[in-house]
Amino acid sequence: MSAPSAGSDRESSSGATTSNSDLSPSLAHALDRGELSLPVLPRVAGEVIALCNDAAVDARELARLIERDAALAGNILRVANSPAYRGAVEVAALQQALSRLGLTSVRDIALSITLRELSQPLVTYSGMVERCWEASMGCALWSREIARLKRKNVEDAYLCGLLHNVGTTVILHWLVKQGVTLDDEAVASLTADHEEAAGALLARQWNLPAIVHASLVSASEGEAPQGEPIDAARVAFVKQTQALARVLMGFKQPDLDGLASEPEVVALNLYPDDLAELLQVEPKIREQVEAMSGL
Amino acid sequence: MASAKKIDTLVIGSGPAGQKAAIQAAKARRSVVVVEQLREVGGACVQFGTIPSKALRERALKRVSTGTQPTSINISTLLGETEVLVRKHDRFMRAQLERNGIDVVHGRARFVDAHRVAVHPPGEAERRYDCSSIVIACGSKPRHPDHVAVDHEHVYDSDSVLSIGYLPETMLVIGGGVIACEYASIFALLGVRVTQLDRFPMPLGFLDPALAVEYRRQFEGLGGRFIGPVEIAAVETEPYGGVVARLSGGESVQAQKALCALGRVSAIDGLDLAAAGLTTDERQLVPVDENGRTAVAHIFAAGDVVGPPSLASSSMQQGRSAARALLGLEPEEGWQFTPSGIYGVPAIGSVGLSEIQARGSHETVLVGHADYAEIARGLIDDSEQGFLRLIADAQGRLLGAHAIGGPAAELVHLAQLALVHGARVDLFVTQIFNFPTFAEAYRVAALDIMAQRDRV
């Protein structure tokens, strides 16, 4: 974490002293007001601008960039489900959104979002943003492969994995806007209390697909996602893939025997040969995350 | 390693064949264990195939018939409803197995030798069974040819297509068999522009040609397109460009998504059949005699793992036959005619000889035809597109029956009973059927044959 840290009592950039206990109600209030927004990572923003300035813009490359970034992906889906573009059926996946909007519109939307969000950099929390982004990418990529192995909806798994920690990013953005600097521990405490609410707020405000909304909230405490009811088994599967993805990301060198008895593995009814097949993609996933980290 | 538990019969797989074999053996007071690698019982039939695809079809038809525009149908909702039905079916079947005193063990089976089977539940220690007899009913899985890049995201197989999250605008369906035609027509009904590609000139080429022609006509009426015969060199995904099928002639066909439905292969992976002294044939099927007995006398096989017809109905019968054989009982009599049902849009039912098959074995063949448009029930149900064809010999003895549209798969059962009893088509004229029902089509088709017989 490169950001200057503060303890439980701190001084904000505006000079006011702030404590954890002060921030939590303020954040809750901001969540209630629904005024939070999601930042775009500067490195992806730069890529998007560079691509869009190129007369021979490669639409596929742009689409790949969008897929890698939770903020862009979320905004594209929000626009695809907005009154201007919304059809009779909810857009539930990036490929579907691209098909509905057309790549030119997608490029324009991505550019405008990027330019807007670039004015609100998250320099203070850059280390945490980086880790958050890596967790988002890792979860998305592993979830996609788990879903593929289980013959379940691959696009659901990827998108929900990409956006699974979007609440944390929202909170970081809010902290920057407040001019408050917290250390990792204090941020972790704040996000533990408010990440779900922040994610749910974003899902509702941006009209994210119901499966994303449902996957962001806990079954017992969460609000009912908007739109048509979602099959509980579909939501449960997405959450199970994320749980296993977190386990897999935690292994430096995944060990088959050790993994086989993990509850997340058993919950997904995976046998040792299934795991062996899954772990074959581990180097590819690691490379993808590393390559994108170095953009 | 714990010692092996001694039991009478172990059944590998809880699909239609395994279930019926287990119940038959349990009713004879055998101690029976069913091993199922999925958490749910029922096998591919219940989880990925017969039940969910038919449930999807019925729900799609219901939505469209009540005036819902296909473009406003949410496929996730339909599939969610299907999932609820599958779970109900699972509970019902599990209760049936428990009621018969059958122990269902969750895990993956592997032969240790000809009598012992190891079962490995996920996350738990292996357990072993020492079995007097064994029934292999492990079913099948979709075939993925090397030239089709099935990734379950852009290119689905017949299992993963049930996970599709939204209706694409366009879809390629690779194949012209039963599963291909069922899904091609269901997606076409739901407003997807479907292109079906096959190496044969007509879909469902094994059927009576009149039915294949009618299927194609109605499929094209739904906006579908059939292209055949074509050789497909490759089916590939294009990032954000969807899917492309490259044909041998150099042309290509693109769509948003694709379904690969090029048959199924037996699901014997990990069973280690060699440890039991068993081998498979060149198609990875387990060779059996007419009672399902393998080369090892106390080991039997039934269902998709022994090959065609690979129908849920025939698998059930094979399971029962295998159990009767292992119990030392005589084979059941009268199992001569296996009907087939294709649950596309339209539905198709077939039993006995097709016209072409009949002409190959009989000098004179009479064909009776009844259009649903002539049947009161067809008019009432708005099911005027379709017909029943009866095939008979020169004396009017029924040889086969083939129906398309309406309740075709149900309709042919009447003919099946007539076939079992060697009846003449006159039976359908002398008997009184409820009116108005589709059974009236039998009378019309039978009269057609009787008129031809009089001329002959």
Side-chain angles (χ1 to χ4, degrees), chain A residues 223-239:
Chain A
E223 58 191 315
Q226 55 216 344
E228 294 206 40
I230 295 261
D231 180 45
R234 191 173 158 209
V235 180
F237 176 76
V238 163
K239 290 185 174 184

PDB file of all heavy atoms in Angstrom, chain A residues 223-239:
ATOM      1  N   GLU A 223     -31.505  -7.385  -0.491  1.00  0.00           N
ATOM      2  CA  GLU A 223     -32.765  -6.986  -1.087  1.00  0.00           C
ATOM      3  C   GLU A 223     -33.012  -7.850  -2.326  1.00  0.00           C
ATOM      4  O   GLU A 223     -32.075  -8.394  -2.900  1.00  0.00           O
ATOM      5  CB  GLU A 223     -32.679  -5.514  -1.498  1.00  0.00           C
ATOM      6  CG  GLU A 223     -31.530  -5.283  -2.468  1.00  0.00           C
ATOM      7  CD  GLU A 223     -31.246  -3.814  -2.692  1.00  0.00           C
ATOM      8  OE1 GLU A 223     -32.195  -3.072  -2.871  1.00  0.00           O
ATOM      9  OE2 GLU A 223     -30.072  -3.444  -2.699  1.00  0.00           O
ATOM     10  N   ALA A 224     -34.277  -7.957  -2.701  1.00  0.00           N
ATOM     11  CA  ALA A 224     -34.599  -8.759  -3.880  1.00  0.00           C
ATOM     12  C   ALA A 224     -34.123  -8.034  -5.122  1.00  0.00           C
ATOM     13  O   ALA A 224     -34.376  -6.842  -5.286  1.00  0.00           O
ATOM     14  CB  ALA A 224     -36.094  -8.981  -3.943  1.00  0.00           C
ATOM     15  N   PRO A 225     -33.390  -8.707  -6.002  1.00  0.00           N
ATOM     16  CA  PRO A 225     -32.952  -8.052  -7.226  1.00  0.00           C
ATOM     17  C   PRO A 225     -34.145  -7.632  -8.077  1.00  0.00           C
ATOM     18  O   PRO A 225     -35.189  -8.278  -8.044  1.00  0.00           O
ATOM     19  CB  PRO A 225     -32.140  -9.138  -7.938  1.00  0.00           C
ATOM     20  CG  PRO A 225     -31.814 -10.141  -6.895  1.00  0.00           C
ATOM     21  CD  PRO A 225     -32.930 -10.081  -5.911  1.00  0.00           C
ATOM     22  N   GLN A 226     -33.935  -6.573  -8.846  1.00  0.00           N
ATOM     23  CA  GLN A 226     -35.005  -6.105  -9.703  1.00  0.00           C
ATOM     24  C   GLN A 226     -35.173  -7.045 -10.899  1.00  0.00           C
ATOM     25  O   GLN A 226     -34.317  -7.866 -11.169  1.00  0.00           O
ATOM     26  CB  GLN A 226     -34.687  -4.689 -10.184  1.00  0.00           C
ATOM     27  CG  GLN A 226     -33.333  -4.583 -10.874  1.00  0.00           C
ATOM     28  CD  GLN A 226     -32.627  -3.280 -10.587  1.00  0.00           C
ATOM     29  OE1 GLN A 226     -33.223  -2.331 -10.133  1.00  0.00           O
ATOM     30  NE2 GLN A 226     -31.338  -3.228 -10.870  1.00  0.00           N
ATOM     31  N   GLY A 227     -36.290  -6.886 -11.583  1.00  0.00           N
ATOM     32  CA  GLY A 227     -36.525  -7.686 -12.785  1.00  0.00           C
ATOM     33  C   GLY A 227     -37.157  -9.028 -12.465  1.00  0.00           C
ATOM     34  O   GLY A 227     -37.695  -9.240 -11.383  1.00  0.00           O
ATOM     35  N   GLU A 228     -37.091  -9.916 -13.461  1.00  0.00           N
ATOM     36  CA  GLU A 228     -37.717 -11.223 -13.309  1.00  0.00           C
ATOM     37  C   GLU A 228     -36.991 -12.025 -12.234  1.00  0.00           C
ATOM     38  O   GLU A 228     -35.788 -11.878 -12.052  1.00  0.00           O
ATOM     39  CB  GLU A 228     -37.673 -11.965 -14.644  1.00  0.00           C
ATOM     40  CG  GLU A 228     -38.527 -11.302 -15.699  1.00  0.00           C
ATOM     41  CD  GLU A 228     -38.992 -12.281 -16.760  1.00  0.00           C
ATOM     42  OE1 GLU A 228     -39.342 -13.412 -16.414  1.00  0.00           O
ATOM     43  OE2 GLU A 228     -38.999 -11.902 -17.936  1.00  0.00           O
ATOM     44  N   PRO A 229     -37.726 -12.882 -11.495  1.00  0.00           N
ATOM     45  CA  PRO A 229     -37.065 -13.659 -10.445  1.00  0.00           C
ATOM     46  C   PRO A 229     -35.974 -14.556 -11.026  1.00  0.00           C
ATOM     47  O   PRO A 229     -36.111 -15.086 -12.124  1.00  0.00           O
ATOM     48  CB  PRO A 229     -38.206 -14.494  -9.851  1.00  0.00           C
ATOM     49  CG  PRO A 229     -39.313 -14.434 -10.834  1.00  0.00           C
ATOM     50  CD  PRO A 229     -39.152 -13.180 -11.618  1.00  0.00           C
ATOM     51  N   ILE A 230     -34.894 -14.673 -10.267  1.00  0.00           N
ATOM     52  CA  ILE A 230     -33.766 -15.486 -10.713  1.00  0.00           C
ATOM     53  C   ILE A 230     -33.809 -16.816  -9.981  1.00  0.00           C
ATOM     54  O   ILE A 230     -34.058 -16.852  -8.774  1.00  0.00           O
ATOM     55  CB  ILE A 230     -32.439 -14.768 -10.368  1.00  0.00           C
ATOM     56  CG1 ILE A 230     -32.337 -13.485 -11.157  1.00  0.00           C
ATOM     57  CG2 ILE A 230     -31.250 -15.654 -10.589  1.00  0.00           C
ATOM     58  CD1 ILE A 230     -31.501 -13.568 -12.388  1.00  0.00           C
ATOM     59  N   ASP A 231     -33.580 -17.878 -10.708  1.00  0.00           N
ATOM     60  CA  ASP A 231     -33.557 -19.196 -10.099  1.00  0.00           C
ATOM     61  C   ASP A 231     -32.455 -19.247  -9.032  1.00  0.00           C
ATOM     62  O   ASP A 231     -31.303 -18.881  -9.300  1.00  0.00           O
ATOM     63  CB  ASP A 231     -33.302 -20.235 -11.197  1.00  0.00           C
ATOM     64  CG  ASP A 231     -33.265 -21.632 -10.630  1.00  0.00           C
ATOM     65  OD1 ASP A 231     -34.139 -21.958  -9.826  1.00  0.00           O
ATOM     66  OD2 ASP A 231     -32.343 -22.386 -10.986  1.00  0.00           O
ATOM     67  N   ALA A 232     -32.835 -19.698  -7.837  1.00  0.00           N
ATOM     68  CA  ALA A 232     -31.887 -19.711  -6.715  1.00  0.00           C
ATOM     69  C   ALA A 232     -30.655 -20.570  -7.021  1.00  0.00           C
ATOM     70  O   ALA A 232     -29.544 -20.246  -6.599  1.00  0.00           O
ATOM     71  CB  ALA A 232     -32.596 -20.226  -5.467  1.00  0.00           C
ATOM     72  N   ALA A 233     -30.866 -21.642  -7.770  1.00  0.00           N
ATOM     73  CA  ALA A 233     -29.739 -22.535  -8.069  1.00  0.00           C
ATOM     74  C   ALA A 233     -28.698 -21.822  -8.941  1.00  0.00           C
ATOM     75  O   ALA A 233     -27.491 -22.051  -8.807  1.00  0.00           O
ATOM     76  CB  ALA A 233     -30.248 -23.787  -8.778  1.00  0.00           C
ATOM     77  N   ARG A 234     -29.187 -20.941  -9.818  1.00  0.00           N
ATOM     78  CA  ARG A 234     -28.277 -20.200 -10.703  1.00  0.00           C
ATOM     79  C   ARG A 234     -27.410 -19.238  -9.888  1.00  0.00           C
ATOM     80  O   ARG A 234     -26.205 -19.118 -10.124  1.00  0.00           O
ATOM     81  CB  ARG A 234     -29.143 -19.442 -11.725  1.00  0.00           C
ATOM     82  CG  ARG A 234     -28.399 -18.826 -12.866  1.00  0.00           C
ATOM     83  CD  ARG A 234     -29.393 -18.257 -13.865  1.00  0.00           C
ATOM     84  NE  ARG A 234     -28.773 -17.233 -14.689  1.00  0.00           N
ATOM     85  CZ  ARG A 234     -29.436 -16.213 -15.225  1.00  0.00           C
ATOM     86  NH1 ARG A 234     -30.735 -16.087 -15.043  1.00  0.00           N
ATOM     87  NH2 ARG A 234     -28.806 -15.324 -15.963  1.00  0.00           N
ATOM     88  N   VAL A 235     -28.040 -18.573  -8.925  1.00  0.00           N
ATOM     89  CA  VAL A 235     -27.301 -17.646  -8.066  1.00  0.00           C
ATOM     90  C   VAL A 235     -26.327 -18.417  -7.186  1.00  0.00           C
ATOM     91  O   VAL A 235     -25.160 -18.032  -7.038  1.00  0.00           O
ATOM     92  CB  VAL A 235     -28.275 -16.826  -7.178  1.00  0.00           C
ATOM     93  CG1 VAL A 235     -27.500 -15.859  -6.300  1.00  0.00           C
ATOM     94  CG2 VAL A 235     -29.284 -16.078  -8.041  1.00  0.00           C
ATOM     95  N   ALA A 236     -26.816 -19.523  -6.626  1.00  0.00           N
ATOM     96  CA  ALA A 236     -25.971 -20.328  -5.739  1.00  0.00           C
ATOM     97  C   ALA A 236     -24.737 -20.815  -6.490  1.00  0.00           C
ATOM     98  O   ALA A 236     -23.623 -20.809  -5.949  1.00  0.00           O
ATOM     99  CB  ALA A 236     -26.762 -21.509  -5.195  1.00  0.00           C
ATOM    100  N   PHE A 237     -24.930 -21.199  -7.748  1.00  0.00           N
ATOM    101  CA  PHE A 237     -23.782 -21.703  -8.515  1.00  0.00           C
ATOM    102  C   PHE A 237     -22.742 -20.604  -8.712  1.00  0.00           C
ATOM    103  O   PHE A 237     -21.544 -20.823  -8.542  1.00  0.00           O
ATOM    104  CB  PHE A 237     -24.234 -22.258  -9.872  1.00  0.00           C
ATOM    105  CG  PHE A 237     -23.075 -22.682 -10.715  1.00  0.00           C
ATOM    106  CD1 PHE A 237     -22.408 -23.859 -10.448  1.00  0.00           C
ATOM    107  CD2 PHE A 237     -22.599 -21.875 -11.747  1.00  0.00           C
ATOM    108  CE1 PHE A 237     -21.294 -24.237 -11.186  1.00  0.00           C
ATOM    109  CE2 PHE A 237     -21.496 -22.241 -12.483  1.00  0.00           C
ATOM    110  CZ  PHE A 237     -20.844 -23.433 -12.206  1.00  0.00           C
ATOM    111  N   VAL A 238     -23.201 -19.415  -9.057  1.00  0.00           N
ATOM    112  CA  VAL A 238     -22.274 -18.297  -9.264  1.00  0.00           C
ATOM    113  C   VAL A 238     -21.481 -18.020  -7.989  1.00  0.00           C
ATOM    114  O   VAL A 238     -20.262 -17.793  -8.021  1.00  0.00           O
ATOM    115  CB  VAL A 238     -23.066 -17.049  -9.727  1.00  0.00           C
ATOM    116  CG1 VAL A 238     -22.242 -15.802  -9.551  1.00  0.00           C
ATOM    117  CG2 VAL A 238     -23.488 -17.194 -11.181  1.00  0.00           C
ATOM    118  N   LYS A 239     -22.166 -18.057  -6.859  1.00  0.00           N
ATOM    119  CA  LYS A 239     -21.469 -17.810  -5.589  1.00  0.00           C
ATOM    120  C   LYS A 239     -20.483 -18.935  -5.276  1.00  0.00           C
ATOM    121  O   LYS A 239     -19.402 -18.693  -4.729  1.00  0.00           O
ATOM    122  CB  LYS A 239     -22.489 -17.655  -4.460  1.00  0.00           C
ATOM    123  CG  LYS A 239     -23.294 -16.364  -4.574  1.00  0.00           C
ATOM    124  CD  LYS A 239     -24.204 -16.168  -3.382  1.00  0.00           C
ATOM    125  CE  LYS A 239     -24.888 -14.812  -3.450  1.00  0.00           C
ATOM    126  NZ  LYS A 239     -25.714 -14.523  -2.292  1.00  0.00           N
TER     127      LYS A 239
END
